[in-house]
Amino acid sequence: MAAAAAGAGSGPWAAQEKQFPPALLSFFIYNPRFGPREGEEENKILFYHPNEVEKNEKIRNVGLCEAIVQFTRTFSPSKPAKSLHTQKNRQFFNEPEENFWMVMVVRNPIIEKQSKDGKPVLEYQEEELLVMCHCLFVYFFKCILFNGTFLKAMEDGGVKLLKERLEKFFHRYLQTLHLQSCDLLDIFGGISFFPLDKMTYLKIQSFINRMEESLNIVKYTAFLYNDQLIWSGLEQDDMRILYKYLTTSLFPRHIEPELAGRDSPIRAEMPGNLQHYGRFLTGPLNLNDPDAKCRFPKIFVNTDDTYEELHLIVYKAMSAAVCFMIDASIHPTLDFCRRLDSIVGPQLTVLASDICEQFNINKRMSGSEKEPQFKFIYFNHMNLAEKSTVHMRKTPSVSLTSVHPDLMKILGDINSDFTRVDEDEEIIVKAMSDYWVVGKKSDRRELYVILNQKNANLIEVNEEVKKLCATQFNNIFFLD
């Protein structure tokens, strides 16, 4: 166990400081095999953002990264450089497929202070930016989900097709990158699971079985409620990326101004389940339009094994969403979509109301306790489960937390220490703002706790964390 003290931004400079978050300077993908001779260097570049950069500068930047990677290979042939840190910038390198390199260049966070003579002084913050490394992996796997692997694109249409797919995908998704709102949850990239009692879970399992039997072309199904996962038939890594896409891209685009109480239990006078609130989030917008287009996005799963290409059908009723994945060789017709709507819509509407009702009952039974003295973030590396009472709202562009940003930075620093060692450990930090921050790493699980106890000592803080583990994680073993 380690203990330390840390500041929390309350010095005399605070009122005169201006803070600038990290910013993306460039992002590019290259393959050194595509331009091995002099004069062919431009052929290495498969994608470059921003595209307005002059050609020679692109070639120069790619060549520098290639040289850095090759130089570090002399010291570690199997593990070349992952990042290069300078005073102003940091570069991140990732080789997702052999000889295909993704590079992200980020400007370090800046604090602008006033000097004694009134002139602005810039201080670049040389802090850990692990979340940027994670962004590289997320973007690659999202690209794989919707486009297949780089090598598969090469097989299908050569370098030209690969460049087209990369341009189409990254041009859109780089616009969703908001580095200033990235934090510990982005590093974990986990899945939030919806808490359910056994009977309601069995109802959902029964619903999925009935739907897969009625719609016999469905290969995989996933069920979510209130943007939290309840059930998935996909492999864990595939579901992780699909979950990220659903909750940060697709669902936010389709938020509708629903009436208050829409998720309350359905009235008994509803005639024979003919009325429902179901609708397609992917596919036809209007089932009554005979010319409606039945286009569904394609996704690629199990790319390391069977390499399956699927259509993604996402259907939602109130706060419940179900994803049906069918073989891409099958093209759903308007009649199929109408049939799916008539079968799934009424049952999903009733099920959404049941889930909401049961959740409210469980909430009332647990009692409305007063605001606890602690906030926590939990992540399980084995099943990717994450839970946070620190975040009040988390979207790609907004990270609204109930604690000071300096405390979030301490959480990131603790996580950075955890990534450097494989052993289980515990770190306790006393912040200058009377908060205690505790990090526990045990059996591939991580728990971060923020306590507001001004006069507590190390022993008392440790006891509080033990109580938290007993009440919130009573079925999870944390080493003492």
Side-chain angles (χ1 to χ4, degrees):
M1 181 175 76
S10 57
W13 288 104
Q16 304 173 39
E17 290 180 357
K18 286 184 182 178
Q19 296 195 0
F20 300 90
L24 178 67
L25 298 179
S26 61
F27 176 87
F28 48 91
I29 301 171
Y30 72 93
N31 188 321
R33 298 286 180 89
F34 292 172
R37 289 186 288 273
E38 189 174 347
E40 299 179 348
E41 292 87 354
E42 190 180 5
N43 297 337
K44 300 176 184 179
I45 306 171
L46 301 171
F47 174 82
Y48 199 103
H49 169 85
N51 191 42
E52 301 77 37
V53 173
E54 197 264 332
K55 182 181 79 171
N56 287 335
E57 186 179 345
K58 291 179 183 178
I59 292 172
R60 187 165 58 250
N61 291 338
V62 169
L64 176 62
C65 292
E66 190 179 353
I68 292 168
V69 169
Q70 286 301 109
F71 175 71
T72 56
R73 278 196 195 277
T74 60
F75 303 100
S76 179
S78 61
K79 291 183 179 180
K82 289 185 178 180
S83 68
L84 173 66
H85 194 185
T86 63
Q87 181 192 16
K88 296 182 178 180
N89 303 329
R90 181 169 288 204
Q91 299 182 31
F92 300 90
F93 314 100
N94 180 29
E95 186 184 20
E97 296 181 40
E98 189 175 4
N99 293 314
F100 287 96
W101 284 90
M102 301 172 72
V103 180
M104 179 181 287
V105 183
V106 177
R107 187 198 68 204
N108 290 332
I110 302 172
I111 294 179
E112 182 183 293
K113 296 181 178 180
Q114 294 294 324
S115 64
K116 291 180 179 179
D117 57 5
K119 294 181 180 179
V121 178
L122 298 182
E123 286 188 6
Y124 289 88
Q125 302 300 292
E126 300 182 17
E127 59 187 44
E128 289 289 344
L129 296 172
L130 286 174
V131 69
M132 312 311 168
C133 292
H134 176 71
C135 283
L136 287 178
F137 288 103
V138 168
Y139 277 126
F140 170 66
F141 286 115
K142 270 191 178 179
C143 185
I144 293 298
L145 181 69
F146 291 103
N147 298 283
T149 62
F150 295 166
L151 284 176
K152 184 70 167 59
M154 293 283 294
E155 292 171 5
D156 292 344
V159 175
K160 184 174 182 292
L161 178 64
L162 175 59
K163 285 186 175 182
E164 288 173 358
R165 288 184 177 177
L166 293 176
E167 178 65 36
K168 183 179 178 182
F169 176 83
F170 284 105
H171 175 73
R172 178 172 53 182
Y173 274 94
L174 283 174
Q175 297 176 33
T176 69
L177 180 62
H178 301 274
L179 298 181
Q180 73 278 4
S181 65
C182 294
D183 58 29
L184 201 56
L185 288 188
D186 296 283
I187 294 175
F188 292 145
I191 296 172
S192 178
F193 288 90
F194 189 81
L196 269 184
D197 62 287
K198 290 180 181 178
M199 285 306 298
T200 310
Y201 182 82
L202 288 174
K203 283 184 183 179
I204 294 169
Q205 183 67 66
S206 175
F207 164 80
I208 292 170
N209 292 339
R210 290 197 308 274
M211 295 305 99
E212 290 184 345
E213 187 176 348
S214 301
L215 309 166
N216 54 15
I217 61 173
V218 174
K219 294 190 74 172
Y220 304 103
T221 305
F223 192 102
L224 297 92
Y225 185 85
N226 202 26
D227 290 4
Q228 294 177 291
L229 185 65
I230 292 178
W231 195 91
S232 170
L234 284 175
E235 289 292 329
Q236 197 176 74
D237 287 339
D238 290 326
M239 189 62 228
R240 178 186 215 168
I241 303 302
L242 178 59
Y243 176 80
K244 191 81 173 175
Y245 162 70
L246 293 172
T247 56
T248 64
S249 182
L250 183 65
F251 291 166
R253 290 204 310 265
H254 290 84
I255 293 174
E256 60 179 342
E258 295 183 343
L259 295 173
R262 175 71 72 86
D263 276 2
S264 59
I266 292 179
R267 299 182 301 276
E269 63 263 28
M270 180 174 283
N273 283 344
L274 296 177
Q275 180 185 349
H276 66 79
Y277 297 122
R279 62 194 179 101
F280 286 93
L281 297 193
T282 62
L285 297 175
N286 183 1
L287 292 173
N288 296 320
D289 180 3
D291 298 322
K293 303 295 183 184
C294 295
R295 292 175 181 160
F296 295 93
K298 284 183 182 178
I299 62 172
F300 296 80
V301 301
N302 297 322
T303 50
D304 291 334
D305 187 16
T306 53
Y307 208 99
E308 297 176 85
E309 189 175 349
L310 307 167
H311 284 302
L312 175 64
I313 302 172
V314 184
Y315 189 90
K316 189 175 184 182
M318 302 190 294
S319 292
V322 60
C323 304
F324 297 114
M325 285 148 273
I326 65 174
D327 195 285
S329 62
I330 300 170
H331 299 283
T333 62
L334 188 58
D335 285 340
F336 170 82
C337 293
R338 286 171 176 162
R339 179 167 164 261
L340 186 151
D341 179 68
S342 65
I343 294 172
V344 178
Q347 295 187 59
L348 187 60
T349 300
V350 173
L351 192 53
S353 288
D354 288 346
I355 296 170
C356 180
E357 184 177 21
Q358 191 60 50
F359 179 71
N360 288 333
I361 290 172
N362 293 342
K363 202 172 180 181
R364 285 195 298 270
M365 288 175 63
S366 63
S368 55
E369 299 176 1
K370 62 178 181 179
E371 182 75 9
Q373 288 286 91
F374 54 78
K375 304 283 185 181
F376 70 85
I377 295 176
Y378 166 79
F379 180 66
N380 185 332
H381 288 268
M382 289 178 283
N383 65 0
L384 306 180
E386 71 178 20
K387 186 176 181 181
S388 171
T389 62
V390 169
H391 294 79
M392 296 181 286
R393 186 177 174 219
K394 186 77 174 83
T395 69
S397 58
V398 176
S399 180
L400 186 60
T401 62
S402 56
V403 301
H404 194 278
D406 287 337
L407 294 174
M408 293 300 295
K409 183 183 180 303
I410 293 173
L411 294 183
D413 291 340
I414 294 174
N415 172 260
S416 177
D417 286 340
F418 284 169
T419 60
R420 293 190 178 99
V421 293
D422 295 327
E423 295 82 14
D424 295 339
E425 66 173 315
E426 181 177 30
I427 296 175
I428 300 179
V429 178
K430 176 67 168 70
M432 298 298 288
S433 56
D434 297 327
Y435 281 89
W436 289 86
V437 183
V438 181
K440 289 174 75 74
K441 178 185 176 186
S442 177
D443 194 24
R444 301 197 66 201
R445 297 176 176 90
E446 294 182 33
L447 176 66
Y448 301 82
V449 185
I450 298 173
L451 299 106
N452 183 13
Q453 295 195 342
K454 182 176 181 179
N455 299 316
N457 56 39
L458 273 175
I459 296 174
E460 291 167 339
V461 168
N462 208 31
E463 286 302 315
E464 285 297 319
V465 173
K466 284 183 180 179
K467 288 178 187 176
L468 168 65
C469 292
T471 55
Q472 297 286 336
F473 306 100
N474 56 1
N475 60 339
I476 296 173
F477 175 64
F478 278 106
L479 293 175
D480 289 327

